[in-house]
Amino acid sequence: MSVSETPAPVSLDDKYTALDGRVLISGIQALVRLTLEQRRLDQARGLDTRAYVSGYQGSPLAGVDLEMGRAKRFLDEAGVVFQAGLNEELAATAVAGTQLLEQVPGRRHDGVIGFWYGKNPGLDRAADAIRHANTAGTAPLGGAVAWIGDDPGCKSSTLPSSSEPMCQSLSMPLLAPGSVAEIIEFGLHAVAMSRASGLWVGLKIVADIADASATVDLGPLRAGVPVPAGGSRGPRRSCSAPPPWTPSTTCSPAASTWPASTPARTA
């Protein structure tokens, strides 16, 4: 006689609240999950950070502001502030301001992660603000990531778009997720890369990925994401691979930060 197992309870909120297992999530929801995942990762490492998200709607990222609003109760609890921008360049300027926290007297946190979003023509419009922000640098416990919506097939745009040339002009590294799961995985590495390099890092989201939904295994998403240099509150340890690193670089749990010989980054 077979014994039936009681199925685990399932909720529509699992895409934001589940800490392990598999969840069904869309590309836009994965961006929201990324902000929560980054805060949970920092908190697990003893880092007192917050996150700020601002941008301007435009396909294929037109639903980011709506989904941020739907997830507000989860964002508030995690210390993630969302504020839609009046336009792309003002949103980029606001995100750039998050990296100046060290210069603010009486600050309450060690760093703020800034996320900007907009479609490719919006990146063109915000280029001057991002160029100046890139020159100013990022905070070691902050980081700035640009979510760039690309529509190469003109699904909902008047012209095909590709963000690579503008990112190259801005000296902004660009990661290109090929699946919904990689939006979260590459996004975590983008924050770590921004913290380590002092540069904004782009996350290229094409229409097919933004509009997709997939079942994502939450377990492996944080694997190999380095601890920010100088950000660990415990004793400094060594990683088996010094920078420069790639998303495939891994560090053991007992070796979760760059060696002490790594030169300090200055903005």
Side-chain angles (χ1 to χ4, degrees):
M1 182 176 64
S2 61
V3 178
S4 61
E5 296 182 358
T6 303
V10 177
S11 167
L12 292 176
D13 293 336
D14 285 350
K15 58 184 175 288
Y16 298 137
T17 60
L19 301 179
D20 53 26
R22 300 172 69 86
V23 297
L24 178 64
I25 192 168
S26 71
I28 298 299
Q29 291 166 348
L31 291 171
V32 179
R33 171 83 193 203
L34 168 59
T35 66
L36 299 171
E37 199 72 19
Q38 182 63 54
R39 279 287 298 117
R40 289 166 183 154
L41 180 60
D42 281 352
Q43 188 174 21
R45 291 171 168 175
L47 303 178
D48 182 12
T49 64
R50 294 297 185 269
Y52 177 78
V53 184
S54 187
Y56 190 78
Q57 69 272 16
S59 60
L61 302 183
V64 170
D65 54 342
L66 297 177
E67 193 57 39
M68 285 283 178
R70 297 186 188 105
K72 187 177 187 303
R73 66 186 188 279
F74 307 114
L75 300 177
D76 290 345
E77 182 180 355
V80 179
V81 174
F82 168 72
Q83 185 174 38
L86 183 63
N87 54 47
E88 293 90 346
E89 60 264 43
L90 288 178
T93 302
V95 171
T98 64
Q99 304 308 297
L100 304 178
L101 184 65
E102 292 178 335
Q103 303 178 33
V104 178
R107 63 184 183 275
R108 301 189 302 273
H109 309 290
D110 295 334
V112 176
I113 310 108
F115 295 98
W116 175 91
Y117 68 91
K119 69 182 302 178
N120 184 270
L123 176 66
D124 295 341
R125 178 170 180 171
D128 184 59
I130 294 176
R131 194 183 307 276
H132 281 79
N134 231 7
T135 302
T138 62
L141 294 181
V145 176
W147 302 338
I148 306 165
D150 263 349
D151 189 10
C154 283
K155 178 180 179 181
S156 55
S157 306
T158 55
L159 296 172
S161 61
S162 176
S163 55
E164 285 87 350
M166 179 56 72
C167 289
Q168 183 178 19
S169 171
L170 296 172
S171 299
M172 184 166 66
L174 183 66
L175 303 181
S179 67
V180 173
E182 286 185 350
I183 290 178
I184 305 174
E185 181 183 4
F186 284 23
L188 294 174
H189 282 280
V191 173
M193 186 182 294
S194 178
R195 288 171 167 177
S197 66
L199 299 171
W200 281 45
V201 176
L203 200 64
K204 176 186 173 83
I205 311 295
V206 298
D208 288 348
I209 302 299
D211 296 341
S213 293
T215 303
V216 173
D217 186 358
L218 300 176
L221 295 179
R222 300 181 185 179
V225 179
V227 173
S232 175
R233 298 176 188 258
R236 183 176 287 276
R237 306 181 180 91
S238 297
C239 180
S240 59
W245 52 270
T246 68
S248 62
T249 304
T250 58
C251 295
S252 64
S256 55
T257 180
W258 299 127
S261 59
T262 303
R265 175 186 54 75
T266 57

